[in-house]
């Protein structure tokens, strides 16, 4: 997650410079990066949990000897863990986005 967020910040460096030139403060740029990272993590976790649920429904018809059961607290723990890892992994790229000079917007 951290590598994906870092690559995204590097790719959008000019956009963050423009945001800074238009008056967006460091906090706004930091929050933009954190929000993007958290949304990506939550969407990924939701898709993964949906795939797990689908597999749990299909597996008994394919292989009757195998039973797949996921406790709800375990799914919630995975969701919380994905969110915390995404937030931790986005701190350094978000800090990098706050250090982009507004003059970089003119280099494009």
């Amino acid at each position: 997650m951290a590598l994906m967020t870092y690559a995204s910040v590097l790719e959008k460096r000019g956009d963050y410079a423009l945001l800074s030139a238009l008056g967006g403060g460091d906090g706004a740029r930091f929050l933009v990066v954190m929000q993007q990272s958290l949304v990506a993590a939550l969407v990924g976790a939701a898709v993964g949990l949906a795939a797990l649920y689908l597999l749990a429904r299909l597996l008994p018809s394919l292989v009757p000897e195998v039973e797949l059961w996921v406790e709800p607290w375990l799914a919630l723990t995975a969701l919380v863990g994905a969110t915390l890892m995404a937030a931790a992994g986005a701190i350094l790229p978000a800090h990098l986005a706050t250090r982009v000079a507004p003059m970089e917007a003119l280099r494009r």
Side-chain angles (χ1 to χ4, degrees), residues 85-98:
M85 285 189 292
I91 289 175
L92 186 61
H95 181 71
L96 178 66
T98 63

Side-chain angles (χ1 to χ4, degrees), residues 54-66:
L54 182 64
L55 182 64
R57 302 287 288 171
L58 291 176
L59 196 60
S61 63
L62 298 173
V63 185
E65 300 84 22
V66 177

Side-chain angles (χ1 to χ4, degrees), residues 6-104:
Y6 181 73
S8 174
V9 166
L10 289 180
E11 182 179 310
K12 298 176 186 173
R13 194 171 176 89
D15 296 339
Y16 293 119
L18 184 61
L19 182 62
S20 177
L22 292 174
D26 291 348
R29 289 179 282 163
F30 188 87
L31 285 177
V32 165
V33 175
M34 290 299 275
Q35 286 173 348
Q36 289 174 347
S37 178
L38 291 175
V39 165
L42 289 174
V43 168
V47 168
L49 288 173
L52 180 64
Y53 177 76
L54 182 64
L55 182 64
R57 302 287 288 171
L58 291 176
L59 196 60
S61 63
L62 298 173
V63 185
E65 300 84 22
V66 177
E67 182 180 342
L68 178 60
W69 174 253
V70 178
E71 296 287 336
W73 66 267
L74 189 59
L76 182 63
T77 302
L79 193 62
V80 169
T83 304
L84 290 176
M85 285 189 292
I91 289 175
L92 186 61
H95 181 71
L96 178 66
T98 63
R99 299 294 162 229
V100 176
M103 291 302 291
E104 282 193 37

